[in-house]
């Protein structure tokens, strides 16, 4: 039978009312690391998504890589997220927390002790961070993690995942895409280690399985972006790399979420080797992050290969997206000027359809 975006679908132990997920999107409005009232409203407005995946949330102090992003490593943060999950659940929605460790894509000024950001090896990103005063601060040469620190980092992910469940989330998604810490371990150019973690898939595997053990595989998803050069990442053979990762990940995870980089044949191949649930953010172009978003037509066209389709910009600008897709539009356009930081403008004030 032909799949529809409006089929119900099972993800882990959740029965979702449709196949439309909201992609994780950094919005930089957590001014003190907490989920604010504005964030409660923003996520609640989008509760008709089959699954909301939150913006990236740092699992530890050193996991933070940009200003004004939220955390899940102290009690006050857990309490603040409880209000978000309550509001989404009250409206019948489902929500996973994305756990995001930035690794080398970060700056010492984010940390109270001014320490260096960390990475698999001491290789800088070549990029920069925007400071609170709008200054461009070059990402420094990071400190290579020791084996002991790798174990601590995995423990931080596990603790944050437990916190997410305590905060009422339905599960967590581990951010292993877009050039952040887990992706740095998967890369050819940032992972120059000669210990066990020099094996590119090892860290992704260890983090994912440790989290799955702690909160249940059915509550654990992983976000991958095969072939994405974002944040200075090089992968010699993405198809081979991700084939080997998918071959060792436990298939009873909630899902694998792929951000596609203009290569449907790679997606189709990875679909064929992954027996579990596949969430796909479809992209026929090559730069899907930083403001290029898939359309409703691309979402439909992705269904043969995906169990769930994750969309970013359309959800950002259209809180009532399922209704709009059912009606063939029209769609509000996302405003790039208000993506990061600011107030309710370009955040909670996108109108629902007049219909
Ligand atoms: C961003 O802040 O632009 C950003 C954050 C996380 C991503 C991609 C982009 O995975």
């Amino acid at each position: 039978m032909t799949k529809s975006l409006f089929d119900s679908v099972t993800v882990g132990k959740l029965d979702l009312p449709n196949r439309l997920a909201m992609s994780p999107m950094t919005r930089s409005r957590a001014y003190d690391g907490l989920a604010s009232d504005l964030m409660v409203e923003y996520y609640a407005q989008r509760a008709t998504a089959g699954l909301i995946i939150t913006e990236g949330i740092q699992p530890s102090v050193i996991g933070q890589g940009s200003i004004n992003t939220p955390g899940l490593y102290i009690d006050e943060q857990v309490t603040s997220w409880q209000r978000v999950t309550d509001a989404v659940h009250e409206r019948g929605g489902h929500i996973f927390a994305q756990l995001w460790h930035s690794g080398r894509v970060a700056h010492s000024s984010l940390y109270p002790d001014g320490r260096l950001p960390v990475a698999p090896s001491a290789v800088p990103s070549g990029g920069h961070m925007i400071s609170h005063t709008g200054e461009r601060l070059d990402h420094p040469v990071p400190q290579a993690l020791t084996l002991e620190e790798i174990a601590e980092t995995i423990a931080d992910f596990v603790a944050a995942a437990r916190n997410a469940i305590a905060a009422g989330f339905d599960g967590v998604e581990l951010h292993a895409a877009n050039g952040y810490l887990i992706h740095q371990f998967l890369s050819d150019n940032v992972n120059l280690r000669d210990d066990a973690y020099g094996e590119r898939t090892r860290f992704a595997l260890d983090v994912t399985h440790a989290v799955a053990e702690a909160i249940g595989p059915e509550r654990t998803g992983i976000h991958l972006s095969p072939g994405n050069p974002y944040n200075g990442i090089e992968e010699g053979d993405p198809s081979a790399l991700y084939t080997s990762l998918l071959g060792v990940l436990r298939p009873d995870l909630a899902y694998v979420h792929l951000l596609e980089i203009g290569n449907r044949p790679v997606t189709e191949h990875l679909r064929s080797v992954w027996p579990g649930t596949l969430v796909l953010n479809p992209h026929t172009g090559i730069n899907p992050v930083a403001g290029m978003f898939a359309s409703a037509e691309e979402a439909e066209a992705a269904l043969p290969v995906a169990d769930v389709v994750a969309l970013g910009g359309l959800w950002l600008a259209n809180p009532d997206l399922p209704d709009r897709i059912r009606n063939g539009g029209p769609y509000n356009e996302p405003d790039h000027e208000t993506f990061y930081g600011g107030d309710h403008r370009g955040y909670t004030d996108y109108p629902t359809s007049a219909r």
Side-chain angles (χ1 to χ4, degrees):
M1 220 184 67
T2 315
K3 284 190 260 177
S4 153
L5 289 171
F6 298 100
D7 295 339
S8 56
V9 61
T10 304
V11 169
K13 291 194 174 133
L14 302 175
D15 292 321
L16 310 184
N18 59 53
R19 297 183 189 270
L20 280 163
M22 175 172 155
S23 292
M25 286 177 281
T26 294
R27 304 305 308 276
S28 313
R29 284 164 170 87
Y31 293 105
D32 44 14
L34 306 177
S36 62
D37 291 347
L38 206 54
M39 289 162 67
V40 174
E41 187 183 350
Y42 166 75
Y43 285 112
Q45 285 175 343
R46 289 158 179 77
T48 54
L51 180 66
I52 293 173
I53 306 162
T54 67
E55 64 204 282
I57 304 175
Q58 53 265 8
S60 56
V61 172
I62 195 69
Q64 184 171 1
S66 329
I67 59 167
N68 302 330
T69 54
L72 252 176
Y73 52 86
I74 56 175
D75 289 347
E76 210 186 345
Q77 294 164 345
V78 176
T79 310
S80 75
W81 281 110
Q82 181 79 60
R83 296 174 316 129
V84 172
T85 63
D86 283 348
V88 169
H89 289 148
E90 273 162 26
R91 288 162 184 75
H94 302 92
I95 183 165
F96 269 41
Q98 195 202 54
L99 299 182
W100 175 33
H101 191 311
S102 289
R104 69 176 187 164
V105 180
H107 191 268
S108 305
S109 60
L110 291 167
Y111 316 127
D113 59 1
R115 60 182 285 198
L116 283 172
V118 298
S121 305
V123 181
S125 81
H128 63 266
M129 185 189 88
I130 304 291
S131 77
H132 285 282
T133 53
E135 228 182 318
R136 287 171 170 238
L137 302 174
D138 288 341
H139 295 147
V141 178
Q143 180 233 309
L145 287 161
T146 64
L147 281 174
E148 195 184 345
E149 288 166 335
I150 288 179
E152 285 166 12
T153 306
I154 295 171
D156 288 340
F157 271 105
V158 168
R162 290 190 199 278
N163 284 343
I165 300 305
F169 283 103
D170 296 300
V172 306
E173 171 177 290
L174 300 164
H175 193 345
N178 303 343
Y180 299 104
L181 183 70
I182 304 178
H183 198 186
Q184 291 159 29
F185 274 91
L186 286 164
S187 79
D188 291 335
N189 63 322
V190 197
N191 185 349
L192 308 177
R193 302 180 70 92
D194 53 16
D195 60 17
Y197 286 97
E199 204 284 292
R200 299 194 192 299
T201 58
R202 172 78 188 269
F203 184 69
L205 195 63
D206 282 7
V207 173
T208 307
H209 288 183
V211 167
E213 277 299 312
I215 64 167
E218 74 284 359
R219 292 198 181 96
T220 306
I222 183 169
H223 188 35
L224 305 170
S225 58
N228 191 0
Y230 194 64
N231 285 315
I233 290 292
E234 293 168 20
E235 293 171 332
D237 185 347
S239 183
L241 174 69
Y242 290 92
T243 297
S244 63
L245 179 60
L246 296 183
V248 287
L249 281 177
R250 43 191 296 178
D252 57 354
L253 293 177
Y255 60 79
V256 164
H257 175 184
L258 295 182
L259 176 68
E260 189 175 52
I261 316 294
N263 196 335
R264 185 58 52 90
V266 168
T267 306
E268 285 167 348
H269 169 70
L270 295 176
R271 162 75 290 181
S272 75
V273 299
W274 172 243
T277 300
L278 188 75
V279 179
L280 178 65
N281 187 336
H283 275 285
T284 44
I286 56 161
N287 181 14
V289 282
M292 283 187 59
F293 295 114
S295 65
E297 290 71 30
E298 284 181 280
E300 281 289 346
L303 271 183
V305 73
D307 298 300
V308 173
V309 179
L311 297 172
L314 276 176
W315 271 116
L316 187 154
N318 297 279
D320 54 344
L321 185 61
D323 278 352
R324 288 181 188 257
I325 293 180
R326 269 186 207 280
N327 294 320
Y331 302 103
N332 301 319
E333 284 294 318
D335 168 28
H336 290 238
E337 296 300 309
T338 49
F339 277 2
Y340 301 109
D343 52 23
H344 68 285
R345 285 168 293 180
Y347 192 54
T348 52
D349 66 351
Y350 285 103
T352 52
S353 192
R355 221 183 308 264

